[in-house]
Amino acid sequence: MGSASSSGWSTVSQAATSFAEEVVEQLASGEIDGIILLSPRTAAVYAKLVRAHGLAGFVRGLPHFCLSAAVARRLQPLGSIVVVTADEPRLEEVLALIDETAAQSRD
């Protein structure tokens, strides 16, 4: 959420403390095909919540598309998972990796 101030906008963000029940159900049932992580903080929160919800086994085979090696490192608490890291930390690189992975899965 943002709030107006005399110098412009300031933002306040808080890390998620839980997955929505729908997300837990979708991860557990295999309805999610991959995870996109664009920041180390988001990756760390994701890893924490996966463990808290007991979902590590369910996400093990999912591709985790990471913007950078710094993002990927924050997934280490999940153990052996599929991590696909962009060569350059640009959104276009991550999107290209997703396209490549999707094309391979159709073959």
Side-chain angles (χ1 to χ4, degrees):
M1 299 201 76
S3 60
S5 69
S6 61
S7 62
W9 285 92
S10 64
T11 59
V12 176
S13 63
Q14 294 179 322
T17 58
S18 182
F19 285 141
E21 188 58 37
E22 180 178 337
V23 172
V24 173
E25 291 171 8
Q26 289 173 334
L27 285 168
S29 68
E31 293 180 44
I32 294 177
D33 296 324
I35 307 295
I36 303 169
L37 298 160
L38 302 178
S39 76
R41 180 177 185 219
T42 301
V45 170
Y46 167 79
K48 177 181 174 184
L49 294 180
V50 163
R51 293 178 70 197
H53 286 281
L55 296 168
F58 294 102
V59 304
R60 196 163 316 276
L62 290 178
H64 291 75
F65 300 99
C66 297
L67 183 67
S68 67
V71 174
R73 278 192 296 274
R74 300 304 289 269
L75 298 176
Q76 288 176 343
L78 296 179
S80 180
I81 61 170
V82 179
V83 176
V84 184
T85 305
D87 290 332
E88 297 290 328
R90 296 187 341 227
L91 181 58
E92 294 82 6
E93 294 276 335
V94 175
L95 296 175
L97 290 172
I98 294 168
D99 286 343
E100 290 171 21
T101 302
Q104 290 171 359
S105 69
R106 287 190 294 259
D107 292 339

